[in-house]
C-alpha cells in the first residue's frame, strides 16, 4: 500500500483503532512534525484529545538521516551502540550531537506548546502516533518516557514500519498498530506519494483545531490537555 499523503494515512490508521473511540481515558500524542497530521486524523476519528510529544532523532554526523539514537521529553535517551560501533563514531562526537539535539528539543517544546502545560498521561491510555518507523528509536524513546510519566497503557501506531522497528517497539509498548510492514524497507518516504515536510505552522494549526474541539467536550477531557 502506498499512501497518498499523511492525511490519508491517518484516516486509514484510525480504522484500526476503533476500539478506543469515545473513551474518556484515551489521549493521542503525535511525534512532531510528520506524525502530527497523522495523529490529527486519528484523534478526530476516535474523538480523543491531541497533543505533541517531542522526540529528537540523534543523526549520524554527516549522515543525519541515519539514526544512532533518540531523545525524548523528560530526559530519556536511547543510543544504538551497534550503529555507533560499526561506524566508528567517537564518544565526543556522540556527546556533541546529544547536546545539540537537547537544545533543539527544548526549543521545539517551547515553540509548539508555549505556556501551555503538557498533557497529563498519568493513568491514561496513550496512543503514540508517527508517520512511519524506520529504526523505531524515536518511538521507543517516546514510549519509555511516557511509561515513566505513569501512562497506564501505551499503543504505538504508525501507517508503515520496518520489520526490525516493529520488533523493537513491541518490546516496550503494550500494543503496536501498523498498516504496512514491507519486507524490504528503505525509508518512510517511499511509502507516500506526497511526503513533503510538515511545517511548524501546520503543527500549530492542527493542534489549535484539535484544542477547539476538546473545549466543547467533557470536563475530564479538558483536564487531560
Amino acid at each position: 500500500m502506498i499512501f497518498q499523503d499523511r492525511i490519508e494515512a491517518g484516516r486509514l490508521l484510525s480504522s484500526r483503532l476503533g476500539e478506543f473511540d469515545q473513551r474518556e481515558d484515551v489521549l493521542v500524542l503525535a511525534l512532531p512534525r510528520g506524525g502530527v497530521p497523522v495523529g490529527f486524523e486519528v484523534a478526530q476519528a476516535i474523538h480523543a484529545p491531541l497533543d505533541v510529544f517531542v522526540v529528537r532523532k540523534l543523526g549520524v554526523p554527516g549522515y543525519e538521516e541515519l539514526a544512532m539514537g533518540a531523545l525524548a521529553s523528560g530526559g530519556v535517551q536511547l543510543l544504538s551502540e551497534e550503529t555507533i560501533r560499526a561506524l566508528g563514531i567517537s564518544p565526543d562526537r556522540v556527546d556533541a550531537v546529544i547536546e545539540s539535539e537537547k537544545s533543539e528539543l527544548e526549543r521545539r517544546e517551547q515553540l509548539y506548546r508555549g505556556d501551555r502545560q503538557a498533557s497529563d498521561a498519568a493513568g491514561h491510555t496513550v496512543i503514540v502516533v508517527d508517520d512511519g518507523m524506520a529504526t523505531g528509536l524515536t518511538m521507543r524513546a517516546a514510549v519509555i518516557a511516557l511509561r515513566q510519566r505513569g501512562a497506564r497503557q501505551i499503543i504505538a501506531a504508525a501507517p508503515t514500519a520496518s520489520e526490525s522497528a516493529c520488533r523493537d517497539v513491541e518490546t516496550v509498548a503494550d500494543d503496536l498498530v501498523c498498516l504496512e510492514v514491507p519486507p524490504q524497507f528503505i525509508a518512510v518516504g517511499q511509502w507516500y506519494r506526497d511526503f513533503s515536510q510538515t511545517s511548524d505552522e501546520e503543527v500549530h494549526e492542527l493542534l489549535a483545531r484539535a484544542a477547539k474541539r476538546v473545549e466543547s467536550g467533557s470536563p475530564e477531557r479538558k483536564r487531560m490537555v
Side-chain angles (χ1 to χ4, degrees):
M1 180 187 297
I2 303 295
F3 305 105
Q4 178 60 38
D5 53 22
R6 292 180 179 89
I7 294 173
E8 180 187 61
R11 290 173 180 170
L12 291 171
L13 185 62
S14 67
S15 69
R16 295 276 298 275
L17 296 164
E19 66 184 283
F20 301 103
D21 189 17
Q22 303 282 0
R23 278 179 42 177
E24 295 286 335
D25 66 322
V26 172
L27 172 66
V28 176
L29 293 181
L31 305 187
R33 289 178 291 197
V36 176
V38 183
F40 178 82
E41 296 299 329
V42 170
Q44 289 281 99
I46 67 172
H47 306 90
L50 172 71
D51 200 357
V52 292
F53 194 78
V54 182
V55 179
R56 294 293 299 167
K57 177 174 65 178
L58 300 175
V60 171
Y63 302 91
E64 281 70 22
E65 289 304 309
L66 176 61
M68 63 176 179
L71 298 176
S73 297
V76 169
Q77 174 181 303
L78 291 180
L79 292 176
S80 173
E81 299 294 346
E82 181 180 356
T83 299
I84 292 169
R85 184 169 54 252
L87 297 178
I89 306 169
S90 70
D92 287 345
R93 297 191 77 183
V94 172
D95 290 342
V97 172
I98 291 172
E99 288 306 310
S100 174
E101 292 300 340
K102 278 183 179 178
S103 298
E104 181 62 15
L105 187 149
E106 293 169 1
R107 185 190 75 82
R108 294 202 180 201
E109 286 272 17
Q110 179 65 29
L111 176 66
Y112 298 142
R113 187 167 286 115
D115 295 330
R116 185 170 59 87
Q117 292 292 318
S119 297
D120 184 9
H124 291 94
T125 293
V126 181
I127 302 174
V128 189
V129 180
D130 205 354
D131 56 7
M133 302 186 302
T135 65
L137 282 167
T138 51
M139 181 64 79
R140 284 175 58 208
V143 171
I144 292 169
L146 288 164
R147 189 81 67 192
Q148 292 180 358
R149 295 187 180 196
R152 183 179 62 82
Q153 182 183 23
I154 304 174
I155 293 87
T160 185
S162 67
E163 292 178 342
S164 61
C166 289
R167 286 195 300 270
D168 289 345
V169 170
E170 284 176 331
T171 65
V172 293
D174 295 301
D175 198 4
L176 170 66
V177 177
C178 188
L179 302 179
E180 290 293 321
V181 186
Q184 294 187 0
F185 190 102
I186 299 173
V188 172
Q190 76 183 109
W191 304 103
Y192 287 83
R193 292 189 178 90
D194 178 2
F195 197 63
S196 54
Q197 188 176 59
T198 303
S199 67
D200 289 332
E201 291 74 19
E202 186 177 357
V203 171
H204 276 292
E205 178 189 356
L206 293 175
L207 291 177
R209 287 170 59 188
K212 285 182 180 179
R213 181 174 54 80
V214 171
E215 286 174 2
S216 61
S218 68
E220 170 63 20
R221 294 207 167 189
K222 290 179 184 179
R223 286 194 293 270
M224 291 171 66
V225 295

